[in-house]
Amino acid sequence: MPDYTVINPATEQPVTTVTLTTAAETDAAIERAAAAQVSWRAVAPGDRAALLRRFAAEVDAHVAELAELEVAGSGHPIGQATWEAQHVRDVLLYYAAAPERLTGRQIPVAGGLNVTFHEPLGVVGLIVPWNFPMPIFAWGMAPALAAGNTVVAKPAEVTPLTARRIGELALAAGIPPGVLTVLPGKGSVVGQRLVDHPLVRKIVFTGSTEVGREIMAGCARQVKRVTLELGGKSANIVFADADLERAAATAPYAVFDNAGQDCCARSRILVQRSVFDRFMELLEPAVAGVRVGDPALPETEMGPLISAAHRARVASYVPDGAPVAFRGTAPGGPGFWFPPTVLAPAGADSPAFTDEVFGPVVTVTPFEDEADAVTIANDTPYGLSGSIWTENVGRAIRVARGVETGNLSVNSHSSVRYWTPFGGFKQSGLGRELGPDALDSFTEVKNVFIAS
Ligand code: NDP
């Protein structure tokens, strides 16, 4: 069996070695998950809820351990990694309330009545990317389990450690074997088997648009349900009437959090031309103030990129002669470091403006008026998130309705709350995760007529 050595992105030192799952082992795990689903779906709703609450408590008791694993294996700053582990707990608790609320309808009809049931799908295959190994795992896993499905999850090959540990915590909490299985391995092996195996009834995929497209095509062959959460190229639109100080002070964190490896990164800042120069004056010290360094230190705000190959890809967006307005700092020595970088002015002729860089690179572009801002914001195949800065509530509503994107914030940069829906427009994805309706995508409605 092949092994994979997890590398600490901040030190380039090996962390541990993980055995990669083969295709035959994946098939066996899927078959065990299908067998386990028969009894998991039969667990009384209150008991399933109690088990999920115990799972959440087990995660809560191991937040520090999970956070340290994410620091070592993914380079996430410890403050962020701690939040991520707590987020897994919170998502489990939120969906622990769902089994007892998964009710159908009764519909009077001539000669009797119809009743509807929300039936679980069976085995759900969860394919997780490397940028947020814990939260994205939880978003698919928790509602799928709550609805009575079993889950076979594949973490990204490079970041398997926290998902693997959370799988162990599920067992320790009393979740029966086979209900949640975590299979470290390659997308081309484990991920592909999840897509191709007929016992897997739904795929939840987060990652690149390219792979998402292939997964959708693979699922189509079996009319397999699929949720896709893909790339983004989100706009941060700053109008002249905005609180410019606050917009500029927060803009770096909207794109450089997680070293820019965030599908919601506001990587295109659009600024109304009349305040462009003032905004750039305010942005420069804000970028210089981003604390980049050792992710194990509590004050660190930005860590390294995930790998040398990814750093080379990010660097290709800042070639010699690129319009670098200013940059932040980054440590020298070992580690896949890249400094926060601001390119301005940038337009549609610049790949950093059009492509998802997935690194700490942001472009700043002037616009003329409301209509121009919406046109530029929409000039992308993506539509995942975005921000609008203005003190004019009417404008905020008009622009929010005009921008083709799934998650917007006004005078804020937050994108994700587990109790509100999350997902993309256009090529940023298909379906919605999180929020109160998430169980709809992990169940099918069964309609039964009962003659009277
Ligand atoms: P991928 O889309 O390649 O990987 C995401 C997940 O899919 C990983 O678990 C991967 O496994 C798996 N996978 C890859 N190929 C297949 C396949 N044929 N069948 C089933 N599963 C598969 O993303 P990358 O990690 O390569 O990142 C590339 C770019 O994608 C980034 O630079 C960024 O632009 C974007 N991206 C966007 C994310 C988002 O949150 N929207 C998250 C991650 C990436 P394995 O790890 O083995 O490759």
Side-chain angles (χ1 to χ4, degrees), residues 187-199:
S188 56
V189 178
V190 180
Q192 194 65 50
R193 281 312 295 155
L194 290 172
V195 171
D196 290 342
H197 200 298
L199 284 176

Side-chain angles (χ1 to χ4, degrees), residues 127-131 136 154-157 185-188 191-192 205-208 211 215 229-231 263 310 313 356 358:
I127 302 174
V128 181
W130 48 261
N131 61 333
I136 293 172
K154 191 205 89 65
E157 183 182 8
K186 287 184 180 295
S188 56
Q192 194 65 50
F205 171 82
T206 304
S208 61
V211 175
I215 295 218
E229 205 270 275
L230 309 174
C263 48
H310 189 56
R313 180 176 176 270
E356 183 176 46
F358 230 57

Side-chain angles (χ1 to χ4, degrees), residues 65-142:
E65 180 199 339
L66 289 167
E68 280 164 22
L69 270 181
E70 208 67 288
V71 172
S74 309
H76 290 196
I78 184 72
Q80 175 191 326
T82 302
W83 179 88
E84 289 167 355
Q86 291 166 338
H87 183 78
V88 175
R89 172 202 63 201
D90 293 344
V91 172
L92 279 166
L93 280 178
Y94 179 71
Y95 287 109
E100 291 153 308
R101 291 163 178 77
L102 196 57
T103 54
R105 292 182 167 181
Q106 63 83 12
I107 306 166
V109 293
L113 81 160
N114 276 57
V115 288
T116 63
F117 299 87
H118 292 267
E119 304 286 17
L121 304 173
V123 179
V124 171
L126 182 54
I127 302 174
V128 181
W130 48 261
N131 61 333
F132 288 111
M134 284 196 276
I136 293 172
F137 175 47
W139 299 356
M141 175 262 288

Side-chain angles (χ1 to χ4, degrees), residues 165-179:
R165 185 70 186 115
I166 292 168
E168 292 166 1
L169 296 175
L171 286 174
I175 301 282
V179 170

